[in-house]
Structures are given as structure tokens and as C-alpha cells.
Amino acid sequence: MGTPVVLIPGDGIGPGITAATVRILEAAGAEIAWETHLAGLAGVMQHHDPMPQSTLDAIARTGVALKGPLETPVGDGYRSINVALRTTFDLYANVRPAHVILKGGRFEKVDIVLVRENTEGLYVGVEHYIKVGGDPHAAAESVAIITRAGSERIVRFAFDYAVQHGRTHVTLVHKANILKFSQGLFLESGRRVAAEYAGRGITYDEKIVDAMAMNLVLRPEIYDVIVTTNLFGDILSDEISGLVGGLGLAPGANIGSSAAIFEAVHGTAPDLAGKGIANPTALTLAACMMLDHLGDAPRADRIRDALEWTIRAGTVVTHDLGGTASTDAFADAVIARLVT
Ligand code: NAD
């Protein structure tokens, strides 16, 4: 039987990396009853809908999904299904851990968990063009919505995460020097929550986002848990994944109070789609976060160990890590390590 989990293969490289991830989890003996559902371009092709109701119903019922990347048309076309899923299920916390697996790179000791507010800010989709004279696109306006309730719950999530995972420092990232109202409210709310955690073994500081972007490149090893608003979190998490070996290694979890969706940070990688050479590690690490969430942390640790061992061994790795292995060959190597 196993725990029911919705599996969304996704677009582009999605089906290939989800298949590899499912094989690795099955080889590790994870007891999961996968329910495959479509979304994104695959949803449009089959159901004429990028977010089919049957997929939403299945996530509402199971409360857990593992999702491959979904294509979002740039400019015109449907809005991001990733954003819509986060909003629909109020998945307010986007957790993106990153640590160095492969030694000998630019940094040796990066181990950062970025906690990104996932439902507010500039991603609420409140935007429009302003017509001036004969030009209907003379100007454009996008509204960032920040609430006290949303800010407090994400900062509280970051502190609780730090407490539960034995981490010792939280850095709040903002731009309140310029955006005095929206970012000012985030900062004010964050300070209030940080004060509640005083004396519980977690230190706290604040950084302006531009300085943070530079500090992450200069001294990433000094950061532990970072909490920030939606757009800054999106950008900084890609930067952080670049510090530890690229998007192929970066997992993410979208957590709400009644559902959680696990995915890789990366997208559909159109340049690799159909070639069978994408790195499945990020999605498999996301699946490990899912196993942690489902209370099966020991199995998640075994899979992480096998993944990291295979990557460090370096003989069967995908092209993004300097190898020539296919997605399936890499998964086979991880499975071989798991079962030894
Ligand atoms: P991308 O993350 O798909 O690709 C960026 C670069 O990283 C590419 O060079 C790609 O080859 C490489 N890359 C990504 N994943 C990799 C992997 N697993 N193994 C090896 N290399 C990998 O970003 P993009 O090109 O800006 O976006 C493509 C599409 O994905 C867009 O439609 C975008 O909207 C969508 N997207 C979806 C999600 C999601 O579903 N969560 C996230 C980001 C982007």
C-alpha cells in the first residue's frame, strides 16, 4: 500500500528526472503509493488545462505531492502554475537547503537553508499596463502585497525550522531602506518574532538584499538560515545553488498547514529536454525532504548518503557535474550504492 503521494512528472526534463527519482525511492524501499497527475504544458495537452481540477483534488486529498518542473510561458499565456499551486494550497513557506557536496569547488563549507515567503510580495499577480496617449503599454505597474500576518508566520517558520534542525543563526533579508512600507512591514514583523525567540540559542541579524547578494559570494560560510520575501528569496536561492554546484543539486519544499509540494529549484531545462542527460539529484533531494516530512527521515538520510557518495566518486555523474552519464545511468549508480 504505502502513503499516497501525488506525482506530477512535469514538462521538459521533468518526466525523465521524476522517473529516475521514483526508481531510487523504490530501491530504497520507500512505502509510497504514487498517484500520477498532470499539470503545466502536459495538463494543457491532455486536459486543455495547465492546472486540471483532478490534480488539485488529488493534492487536496493526499496533502503531499512530488512535482517535476512546469513550463511557464514568458509574457503572454497562462500564469505560472507553480505560483498558482502555492497560492491554492497556501504553501506559504518555500524551504531551499543548499550545502556543498563536491569538495574542491570555490567554497568548501556552505550549508545554508533559505526560507522564502511563498504567497505574497510581487508574486500576487496584481499588475497592469497603463495607457498613455496612443500607447496601451506606455507603462506597467506591479503591486507587492506584504502583510503582517504573512510576514510573522514566515519568520516564525524560519525560527522554528532552526530550532528543530539544530541551527543557530537566522538572517532576515529585506530592502526596507527603499521600500519603506512593504519591506518595512516585513522587517518590523520579523523583529517582533525574533524577539520571541531571544534566549533560545538562535542568534539573529538583518541584511539589506543587495549587500546580502555580495556577502553570499564573498563569505557564504557564515550564513545558516536566511528568511526573506518572495522575489528576493527566488533570486538568492538560485545564487546560493550556484555556490554549491548549480541548479542540478538544489531541492525545495513548499509547505503549508494542510499540504506540501516538493520539487527541484530548477525549471524544465528546455536545452536538455528529451536528451536523457539531466541531473535528477535536485528532485531526488526534494523527495528526501518529502520523506523527512512523512516521518521517514532514516530512509531519506540513506538516499542522501548514496547520492552524495555517487557524486563524490565522480565516475558516473551527469554533464552539469563534469561527467557524461545519462539520467538513468546516474540513477542506476545511486541504486547500486543504496543496495550494497
Ligand atoms: P532552468 O532551471 O530550466 O534552466 C537553467 C539552466 O540550468 C539551463 O542551462 C539548464 O540546462 C540547467 N539545468 C536546470 N536543471 C538542470 C538539471 N536537472 N540538470 C542539469 N542542468 C540543469 O531555467 P529556465 O531555462 O529559466 O526555465 C525553463 C522553464 O522552466 C520556464 O518555462 C520556467 O518558467 C520554468 N521553471 C519552472 C520551475 C518550477 O517548475 N518550479 C522553476 C524554474 C523555472
Side-chain angles (χ1 to χ4, degrees), residues 13 17 67-74 80 82 86 96 238 247-249 263-272 277-282 318-320:
I13 60 171
I17 59 173
K67 187 184 80 56
L70 303 177
E71 186 170 321
T72 306
V74 175
S80 166
N82 300 305
R86 292 166 198 163
R96 294 182 166 183
D238 268 32
L247 283 170
L249 302 177
E263 63 182 344
V265 169
H266 64 69
T268 58
D271 50 331
L272 307 181
I277 56 171
N279 187 350
T281 300
T318 45
H319 84 288
D320 55 311

Side-chain angles (χ1 to χ4, degrees), residues 1-335:
M1 278 299 288
T3 308
V5 171
V6 171
L7 182 69
I8 301 174
D11 303 319
I13 60 171
I17 59 173
T18 43
T21 296
V22 166
R23 279 204 300 127
I24 292 170
L25 261 66
E26 283 176 353
E31 291 177 1
I32 290 174
W34 299 105
E35 294 185 21
T36 303
H37 288 272
L38 302 180
L41 200 57
V44 172
M45 308 285 250
Q46 189 127 344
H47 302 288
H48 307 291
D49 186 350
M51 199 164 75
Q53 190 59 43
S54 51
T55 304
L56 296 179
D57 291 345
I59 298 172
R61 181 168 38 78
T62 60
V64 191
L66 180 66
K67 187 184 80 56
L70 303 177
E71 186 170 321
T72 306
V74 175
D76 294 340
Y78 57 85
R79 296 192 80 91
S80 166
I81 300 307
N82 300 305
V83 174
L85 285 170
R86 292 166 198 163
T87 312
T88 303
F89 294 104
D90 194 25
L91 306 174
Y92 65 92
N94 186 197
V95 183
R96 294 182 166 183
H99 75 277
V100 173
I101 296 177
L102 215 45
K103 304 288 177 198
R106 208 169 304 163
F107 301 105
E108 294 287 317
K109 285 196 198 138
V110 181
D111 184 5
I112 296 173
V113 178
L114 185 132
V115 176
R116 163 192 177 198
E117 202 294 321
N118 221 9
T119 56
E120 301 193 336
L122 278 165
Y123 285 60
V124 292
V126 181
E127 51 180 2
H128 58 261
Y129 288 113
I130 299 165
K131 184 176 175 195
V132 179
D135 183 357
H137 289 187
E141 194 171 54
S142 301
V143 180
I145 309 268
I146 302 271
T147 66
R148 184 187 301 287
S151 303
E152 286 190 358
R153 76 172 171 173
I154 194 66
V155 178
R156 191 164 284 119
F157 182 99
F159 273 93
D160 286 341
Y161 183 97
V163 170
Q164 284 157 18
H165 293 82
R167 291 185 173 259
T168 56
H169 189 74
V170 172
T171 303
L172 182 146
V173 175
H174 65 90
K175 188 73 183 173
N177 53 328
I178 302 296
L179 301 168
K180 291 187 183 298
F181 289 80
S182 53
Q183 288 291 317
L185 178 57
F186 181 69
L187 178 59
E188 175 192 315
S189 309
R191 283 180 180 166
R192 187 181 291 196
V193 173
E196 290 172 20
Y197 287 80
R200 293 177 61 182
I202 298 171
T203 48
Y204 166 79
D205 73 340
E206 298 156 357
K207 281 274 172 309
I208 292 176
V209 64
D210 35 341
M212 187 68 185
M214 184 190 68
N215 285 355
L216 278 170
V217 173
L218 292 178
R219 295 179 66 205
E221 59 283 347
I222 67 172
Y223 295 102
D224 191 353
V225 176
I226 296 170
V227 61
T228 189
T229 48
N230 209 335
L231 179 60
F232 297 159
D234 197 5
I235 297 168
L236 291 181
S237 61
D238 268 32
E239 182 184 357
I240 293 166
S241 58
L243 302 175
V244 301
L247 283 170
L249 302 177
N254 301 283
I255 313 266
S257 45
S258 59
I261 299 181
F262 299 84
E263 63 182 344
V265 169
H266 64 69
T268 58
D271 50 331
L272 307 181
K275 296 183 180 164
I277 56 171
N279 187 350
T281 300
L283 190 70
T284 308
L285 288 172
C288 291
M289 295 176 81
M290 182 188 83
L291 291 177
D292 289 339
H293 177 81
L294 294 174
D296 197 0
R299 200 180 313 273
D301 285 342
R302 268 185 57 222
I303 297 172
R304 280 190 273 256
D305 285 348
L307 274 170
E308 295 193 8
W309 185 91
T310 308
I311 291 169
R312 286 201 188 103
T315 45
V316 188
V317 291
T318 45
H319 84 288
D320 55 311
L321 299 179
T324 55
S326 65
T327 307
D328 286 340
F330 175 77
D332 289 341
V334 174
I335 290 168

